[in-house]
Amino acid sequence: MLEKLDQTEQKALAELAHLDDEESLLQWRAEYLGKKSTVTEAFTVMRELSKEERPLVGKRANEVRQALESAMEARREAVKQRELMKALETDKLDVTLPGRTPQVGHLHPVTQTMRLIYRIFGDMGFQVYRSREVETDDYNFTFLNMPAHHPARDMWDTFYTNQEGVILRTHTSPGQVHAMREYHPDPIRVILPGMCFRYEQVSYRSEMQFTQVEGLAVGEDITFGDLKGTLSDFARRLFQREVRTRFRASHFPFTEPSAEMDMECFICGGEGCPVCKYTGWLEILGSGVVHPNVLRFGGYDPEKFTGFAFGIGPERLTMLLHQIDDIRNFWRNDLRFLEQF
Ligand code: FA5
């Protein structure tokens, strides 16, 4: 047995010197230190040996086991070091290589138009006033001079929530009353941008979800002339040239008198297309002189104060600015469209 142990030790150590990965090391351990190895066999057969032989074999078997175990640990460490050196050699990081450019997006074309609008009105002294997209029926209609069952409510098809009296706002006008209630009795000059929702037939020029930028000026001696001057100047500043606009008499329950402003349709050059419904003009906003009842709901005395208000459609302006012939493109999320702006 002693001889066999000596031979095994020599053979095992010789083999170990050639192993260079973890898997073959494990196989080696199973073979020379596992259940069927000579070392384990030596401990099993010891019982059958004579009293003299037993301690000798026991001692030798222990020595061999320890020698093999520590040799294996040393080999394992060496293999690990070699692998590390190899990795350092092959996976070298070349910091001089040009980096990969991250894909940065850009602002949505309508957001870009909104920002142009903020800047123009900012220059004219209007502050941005944010107001909520989910509104009460009172703010969206009643305080805008449209009591329950008023037929004018039919102008705006509405999304209702399952909470009584809570709706998605159909226009940014409810913000007028929020602003008035916050600022009264001081004069006001604000724009109120944001999303609006209408349960409407979608078309080339109309979406169910779209933005508006409301404007509101309240003070003493504010007239319809101020409104017209402000909006004409706005159009000039936005398009950076003289553009043809026209004011059409209209009706809104919360303004008196009321008007809509159309702009020459640049999409067809005035010749007529589906966007302008073959009229050569595109409606871009509704406006008027604030109705005395709305001033009263907002906390202002209509004997002393007057005001004007307007609601612009930034999608329509973006269509004119970039000659886009279908409003539905804005929500399609098609990169081929969006990347052009
Ligand atoms: C209103 O919403 C009024 N609140 C505007 C107003 C404000 C009048 C203050 C008086 C005083 P109207 O429904 O016409 O009005 O919409 C105003 C503008 O929003 C339109 O001129 C158009 O540019 C845009 N707009 C309206 N509906 C849609 C739609 N479905 N899709 C895209 N833009 C729309």
Side-chain angles (χ1 to χ4, degrees), residues 172-173 176 212-215 283-288 309-314:
T172 41
S173 300
Q176 287 186 33
Q212 279 190 344
V213 177
E214 189 89 3
E283 177 205 312
I284 57 153
L285 61 87
S287 63
F310 54 83
I312 304 175

Side-chain angles (χ1 to χ4, degrees), residues 32-307:
Y32 293 104
L33 292 163
K35 274 189 209 150
K36 292 183 186 152
S37 65
T38 310
V39 175
T40 311
E41 187 196 343
F43 287 115
T44 333
V45 298
M46 236 157 53
R47 271 172 264 137
E48 295 150 24
L49 297 176
S50 66
K51 248 188 192 167
E52 294 77 37
E53 267 184 314
R54 206 179 292 162
L56 292 175
V57 171
K59 187 167 168 265
R60 186 69 192 120
N62 267 325
E63 279 170 6
V64 172
R65 185 167 62 188
Q66 269 167 21
L68 294 188
E69 273 172 359
S70 55
M72 176 170 154
E73 273 321 303
R75 184 72 201 158
R76 181 179 263 165
E77 201 46 45
V79 166
K80 237 199 245 165
Q81 277 297 326
R82 247 215 349 240
E83 272 172 7
L84 180 67
M85 295 313 286
K86 217 160 77 189
L88 283 175
E89 191 59 37
T90 53
D91 303 346
K92 234 191 254 167
L93 179 68
D94 185 352
V95 290
T96 62
L97 279 174
R100 290 198 194 105
T101 324
Q103 270 226 331
V104 261
H106 61 73
L107 293 175
H108 189 275
V110 175
T111 308
Q112 293 179 28
T113 308
M114 300 278 271
R115 293 194 173 187
L116 278 175
I117 299 174
Y118 301 161
R119 192 173 328 140
I120 294 169
F121 282 107
D123 287 348
M124 295 187 197
F126 287 78
Q127 272 185 312
V128 172
Y129 185 92
R130 300 255 167 211
S131 89
R132 61 194 69 159
E133 291 174 3
V134 178
E135 266 298 355
T136 60
D137 181 284
D138 279 345
Y139 274 93
N140 200 81
F141 295 115
T142 316
F143 302 151
L144 293 173
N145 206 23
M146 284 176 277
H149 314 298
H150 193 289
R153 287 185 172 213
D154 290 348
M155 278 162 77
W156 294 283
D157 294 325
T158 312
F159 286 109
Y160 295 87
T161 66
N162 36 19
Q163 207 176 325
E164 176 85 30
V166 178
I167 61 170
L168 300 189
R169 67 174 174 189
T170 58
H171 50 177
T172 41
S173 300
Q176 287 186 33
V177 184
H178 286 294
M180 286 189 215
R181 290 188 169 181
E182 184 170 335
Y183 288 128
H184 80 95
D186 296 330
I188 300 180
R189 221 182 264 193
V190 290
I191 51 168
L192 309 101
M195 203 51 92
C196 305
F197 311 85
R198 292 187 193 173
Y199 185 55
E200 241 178 40
Q201 179 67 46
V202 178
S203 72
Y204 292 102
R205 51 196 259 141
S206 296
E207 260 289 5
M208 283 206 201
Q209 182 174 341
F210 56 96
T211 55
Q212 279 190 344
V213 177
E214 189 89 3
L216 174 70
V218 177
E220 290 178 38
D221 304 322
I222 289 184
T223 66
F224 191 86
D226 295 320
L227 168 69
K228 206 170 166 201
T230 306
L231 291 177
S232 307
D233 194 28
F234 162 71
R236 226 179 348 256
R237 291 187 194 212
L238 183 69
F239 290 92
Q240 296 183 345
R241 62 188 165 91
E242 285 300 328
V243 281
R244 289 213 302 157
T245 53
R246 70 174 186 189
F247 281 79
R248 253 182 314 107
S250 183
H251 169 73
F252 296 104
F254 35 94
T255 47
E256 180 61 41
S258 305
E260 280 172 322
M261 188 167 104
D262 296 342
M263 203 165 261
E264 171 184 12
C265 180
F266 305 142
I267 297 158
C268 60
E271 278 176 20
C273 66
V275 177
C276 64
K277 291 191 192 155
Y278 301 97
T279 61
W281 295 94
L282 187 61
E283 177 205 312
I284 57 153
L285 61 87
S287 63
V289 172
V290 182
H291 195 285
N293 283 351
V294 178
L295 286 171
R296 258 184 227 113
F297 276 120
Y300 286 86
D301 175 4
E303 296 297 324
K304 197 169 160 212
F305 287 94
T306 50

